[in-house]
Amino acid sequence: MPYRPRIPSPDRRTLLRGSLVATAALTLPVAGAAAPAFARSGRPDASWGVQVGDVTSSSALVWVRSDRPARMVVETSATESFQRARVWHGPLLGPGTDFTGTTPLYGLPPGEQVHYRVTLADPDDPRRTGRPVYGAFRTAPARRRDGVRFLWSGDIAGQGWGINPDIGGYRVYDEMRRLDPDFFLCSGDNIYADGVIEPRVTLPDGRVWRNVTTEEKAKVAETLAEYRGNFRYNLLDDNLRKFNAQVPSVIQWDDHEVRNNWYPGQILDDVRYTEKNVDVLAARSTRAFREYFPVSTLHGSPGGDRVHRVVRHGPLLDLFVLDMRTFRNANSPGRQPDDTTGILGAAQLEWLKRELSESRAVWKVIAADMPLGLVVADGATDFEAVAQGDPGAPLGRELQIAELLRFIKHRRITGTVWLTADVHYTSAQHYAPERAAFNDFAPFWEFVTGPLAAGQFPSNALDGTFGPDRVFVQAPDRANVSPMETPALFGEVDIDGESGELTVRLREQGGSVLFSKALQPGRVGQ
């Protein structure tokens, strides 16, 4: 199927010329400055922009941050004139949530563009309001023929490569915004809480990389305030705030939201940390994550403070967002002959099997924050992801994935595709039982991309247990290649409404499509 870029609707073009210009014109606080607990004068300010998350055919979540206590008010309309607007009274924003808040929207029309604006009101005088911030999003379609298109990537501000004003900051977000996707899936490492951002870094060729810096990025994050500052750091970038106002997000997390390669129960042997208990750090990061992203299962829905969830995007797509971090067992050599905890935990595995079996969507995209068949080491002897380099029968965490793949085959669940990031290069792997040591599964594809704003790394070895064939890879030949030396990477998924064909494109910043693969609905073994 030839690539046909989606042309924004007239309303969306008008929005880009008008409302988003207003958002871009806002002045952010000085880098590193925290919001005051109370302000003596002035009006509430929403300079950190707006976000929309977990959009379905009838619902969405709208996020904002104030600079002082304020009441959040959201208006939605079919047009940017906001005639006959619906009004949604949101929460009171205060220091308990770092002045952030999310308002759920329900009863939205399917397959339509929704204009919204967020106003912050003085809690003591509701007539005293700040300047509104604007955005727009499309709800998921109710009809199959409308099609779906989304982007995905991950890994932001990693390895010391932060917001560089000399190259225009995170310019990849501007490029992704102009592609006008239905939504963006961030596959984890939204921040690098364990990564220091230095003011200057000298590149191998002698050039100097300059970073915007903040107080919270001068050390590894340990306190709640430091984790909040890490999540706030990326919002200093104008490109990202514009992107957030126009493109809904589906957010998952991985390790760097807390600390590199962490697992529950870990006690750190790292001189940079005064708090050695990772569970304490994870609790603080989870709270900041909940405050800074509009994520449905973190805002009062059944399941509580969990990250894994299903985001249903019309009849063509169910997106299964995994959490391969919170419920895993300890990193190890991965040779256990019996492992029920694995990388998902027993309860999440049963949840995933149940949701997959009940899904009626044409495509079931599994958003994994770590790859399946790529060997990701943690030190000299342990492993961080699923694979451990032994190409034989499943062991360790592979046992849980084998159980899942067997379930998918025996229940005759079609249309599963795996997407991930994590390894800081882009590749496409096809898994097939005839090449595998474990062969009780149906063939499937796994696509890897990223980073958006971090160092790029050489490709990882493949583990033959599930028979992966690396059909495409683009990776540097040395570690931690800076964003000034190589383009950012992201992926695109386009599901045609007429045929149901799903096309994956692995892209790099600058407009190039590096690899493309079209998959047919309901077909096994492609």
Side-chain angles (χ1 to χ4, degrees), residues 151-463:
L151 308 178
W152 95 95
S153 190
D155 310 298
I156 305 152
Q159 290 73 51
W161 311 114
I163 302 168
N164 185 342
D166 296 337
I167 63 172
Y170 299 154
R171 290 184 296 112
V172 66
Y173 281 99
D174 181 67
E175 181 171 319
M176 293 194 299
R177 176 177 62 85
R178 294 178 187 278
L179 290 173
D180 194 34
D182 293 308
F183 65 91
F184 170 70
L185 164 67
C186 188
S187 300
D189 293 343
N190 296 269
I191 62 168
Y192 278 70
D194 56 337
V196 172
I197 299 292
E198 301 285 356
R200 298 164 63 90
V201 182
T202 301
L203 303 182
D205 61 8
R207 288 181 295 169
V208 174
W209 173 282
R210 290 198 310 124
N211 282 312
V212 172
T213 60
T214 66
E215 179 182 348
E216 295 91 349
K217 292 300 299 177
K219 65 178 291 293
V220 297
E222 298 180 83
T223 67
L224 176 60
E226 289 165 349
Y227 279 108
R228 285 168 166 172
N230 271 257
F231 285 106
R232 199 162 52 241
Y233 176 82
N234 289 329
L235 295 176
L236 291 170
D237 183 72
D238 180 65
N239 301 295
L240 178 54
R241 295 196 312 278
K242 289 181 182 178
F243 180 84
N244 285 343
Q246 181 181 343
V247 181
S249 62
V250 175
I251 303 292
Q252 67 185 144
W253 76 344
D254 193 34
D255 57 334
H256 290 286
E257 282 82 2
V258 177
R259 191 258 185 194
N260 185 47
N261 295 357
W262 76 275
Y263 51 82
Q266 183 181 22
I267 303 299
L268 298 179
D269 180 17
D270 187 331
V271 297
R272 300 176 302 166
Y273 288 84
T274 57
E275 176 56 70
K276 305 295 187 180
N277 189 335
V278 166
D279 290 350
V280 173
L281 299 176
R284 293 168 181 167
S285 178
T286 299
R287 178 171 172 178
F289 181 93
R290 182 171 63 245
E291 292 167 347
Y292 273 85
F293 291 117
V295 177
S296 58
T297 55
L298 293 175
H299 291 277
S301 65
D305 289 350
R306 72 183 195 188
V307 176
H308 63 280
R309 61 202 187 275
V310 184
V311 179
R312 305 193 189 280
H313 207 84
L316 284 172
L317 174 65
D318 279 349
L319 184 65
F320 299 84
V321 182
L322 303 187
D323 180 356
M324 305 174 85
R325 186 60 52 183
T326 305
F327 309 104
R328 63 165 54 199
N329 51 21
N331 292 351
S332 72
R335 301 308 201 269
Q336 305 95 315
D338 183 12
D339 185 352
T340 57
T341 300
I343 200 164
L344 298 174
Q348 185 179 185
L349 176 62
E350 291 307 308
W351 163 85
L352 179 58
K353 291 195 294 186
R354 181 178 66 253
E355 294 290 348
L356 282 169
S357 65
E358 294 176 356
S359 173
R360 297 297 175 262
V362 176
W363 293 100
K364 299 135 185 98
V365 172
I366 302 174
D369 45 294
M370 302 210 74
L372 297 183
L374 306 183
V375 181
V376 183
D378 179 18
T381 61
D382 295 341
F383 294 92
E384 158 73 350
V386 175
Q388 21 66 336
D390 181 345
L395 294 170
R397 292 170 179 163
E398 293 172 336
L399 290 163
Q400 194 176 64
I401 300 304
E403 181 181 345
L404 173 63
L405 296 179
R406 182 189 297 113
F407 177 87
I408 290 172
K409 174 189 173 182
H410 287 230
R411 288 296 183 97
R412 299 181 180 179
I413 298 169
T414 61
T416 58
V417 178
W418 292 71
L419 302 181
T420 190
D422 182 68
V423 291
H424 296 235
Y425 63 87
T426 188
S427 67
Q429 286 82 233
H430 182 251
Y431 293 77
E434 62 268 19
R435 295 189 296 264
F438 171 80
N439 50 35
D440 193 9
F441 70 96
F444 66 95
W445 283 85
E446 175 187 54
F447 298 95
V448 181
T449 193
L452 285 177
Q456 292 193 26
F457 285 77
S459 61
N460 298 61
L462 292 181
D463 184 311

